Amino acid sequence: MNKKNPERSRLVAVVGLLFSSMFGALVLSSALADTIGVIGTGRVGGALGPRFADLGYTVVYGSRDPGSDRVQQLVARSGDGASATSQREAAQRADIILLAVPWRATEQVVKSLGDLDGKVIMDAVNPLQRADDGLLEMGVDTSAAQMVQSWAPGARVVKTFNNVNFMVMADPAAAGGPVTVPLAGDDSDAKAQVRQIVEALGFETVDVGPLRMSRELEGMVVLKLVPMFQGRIQDSWEYYFRPYPERGTN
Ligand SMILES: NC(=O)c1ccc[n+]([C@@H]2O[C@H](COP(=O)([O-])OP(=O)(O)OC[C@H]3O[C@@H](n4cnc5c(N)ncnc54)[C@H](OP(=O)(O)O)[C@@H]3O)[C@@H](O)[C@H]2O)c1
């Protein structure tokens, strides 16, 4: 504090506080103004939609049957401004889209959503299929995320949430410890937006680089589901990437 003029210092501090809280409120209100379109109202959409609403986002669900009791109950759990409509309309009304549909439907869904140029797509889809030994394997040569990007070339696709169990999406504490949600994408601004959301939901994030790394992220789910498909569900895990100790300490 300015010892010569404590009153002036106090005034400066109060004005500074007011300015920063007004500015903070402006930043927050612009974040709150965003709408997230949740495409698919199953386990993933139903877990994350209400949590997006808790963060202050307006949630619009895209469903094949938006008027159904099931979807309307989900809407009722998703904050005042929530609604449900067709998948296309939800995507068009949103700034950010969560893609949470089965892989087998993904191409048809993405191509039906209309103009997605500039929109951020959070892609949670896993393109997995049963292998001969009963376990899972990748069902594509590249990744779901790269294929989504090819079906919506103007969108900004970020691979995320694909390796988290839907129950942990709803309640990260259910994992019993920290959970890492990797992010892959080619658009750094989109990745930053997604990172903010994922971290606000209570997860740690790690940026694993460009969208083509999604193949590795989707492959992590092949591993993760081994216990389940071997009937050892109690051995299941969530991924936690523990950072190296500080450089120089080894
Ligand atoms: N379950 C998990 O823990 C988990 C975790 C990470 C990632 N994932 C991935 O996330 C995606 C969604 O998984 P989920 O478990 O939420 O699946 P889900 O419970 O089967 O829900 C998928 C939703 O997609 C919509 N849908 C289904 N078939 C469709 C079709 N033919 N055309 C258009 N929309 C269709 C449905 O919503 P409407 O009935 O409202 O249309 C359905 O509720 C999958 O790709 C999965 O691999 C799942």
Side-chain angles (χ1 to χ4, degrees):
M1 184 173 288
N2 183 342
K3 284 184 186 153
K4 284 186 187 157
N5 191 346
E7 282 310 314
R8 185 172 180 277
S9 297
R10 246 178 244 120
L11 187 66
V12 168
V14 169
V15 170
L17 198 66
L18 266 175
F19 181 77
S20 71
S21 61
M22 277 169 62
F23 185 70
L26 272 178
V27 170
L28 198 64
S29 68
S30 89
L32 296 188
D34 288 342
T35 297
I36 298 185
V38 174
I39 309 299
T41 62
R43 290 168 293 182
V44 171
L48 288 175
R51 298 214 61 218
F52 294 148
D54 288 343
L55 294 181
Y57 289 94
T58 302
V59 176
V60 52
Y61 291 100
S63 172
R64 294 165 301 171
D65 191 5
S68 68
D69 288 350
R70 183 182 61 79
V71 175
Q72 286 303 312
Q73 283 166 17
L74 179 57
V75 169
R77 295 195 283 118
S78 305
D80 287 343
S83 58
T85 180
S86 68
Q87 293 179 336
R88 183 187 180 95
E89 178 65 21
Q92 290 306 310
R93 280 170 34 192
D95 314 297
I96 302 174
I97 293 166
L98 172 72
L99 193 57
V101 295
W103 167 242
R104 65 179 181 281
T106 302
E107 178 173 4
Q108 176 266 316
V109 169
V110 171
K111 288 180 173 174
S112 75
L113 296 179
D115 182 3
L116 299 176
D117 286 4
K119 294 181 190 287
V120 175
I121 297 184
M122 299 187 288
D123 167 31
V125 172
N126 287 312
L128 309 181
Q129 64 188 21
R130 279 295 188 111
D132 291 342
D133 60 5
L135 299 178
L136 294 180
E137 63 185 8
M138 289 288 285
V140 293
D141 291 334
T142 56
S143 65
Q146 287 162 283
M147 296 184 76
V148 168
Q149 184 69 80
S150 74
W151 299 323
R156 299 183 291 157
V157 179
V158 179
K159 189 82 205 177
T160 189
F161 291 123
N162 71 298
N163 57 13
V164 186
N165 179 276
F166 73 101
M167 289 180 283
V168 175
M169 293 177 188
D171 175 17
V179 175
T180 305
V181 176
L183 309 173
D186 294 334
D187 184 301
S188 55
D189 172 64
K191 212 157 32 173
Q193 288 186 53
V194 174
R195 177 183 182 155
Q196 203 180 8
I197 294 170
V198 176
E199 291 184 354
L201 291 174
F203 298 106
E204 297 192 9
T205 59
V206 61
D207 182 344
V208 299
L211 197 65
R212 67 182 170 79
M213 293 302 165
S214 301
R215 180 168 175 84
E216 279 62 42
L217 297 186
E218 293 165 10
M220 284 166 64
V221 180
V222 173
L223 294 181
K224 177 183 165 133
L225 294 180
V226 168
M228 190 177 105
F229 282 92
Q230 287 183 336
R232 300 183 290 114
I233 199 158
Q234 71 282 1
D235 295 335
S236 298
W237 64 81
E238 291 292 347
Y239 286 106
Y240 174 48
F241 292 7
R242 198 177 62 183
Y244 276 145
E246 274 182 37
R247 275 181 197 285
T249 60
N250 253 353

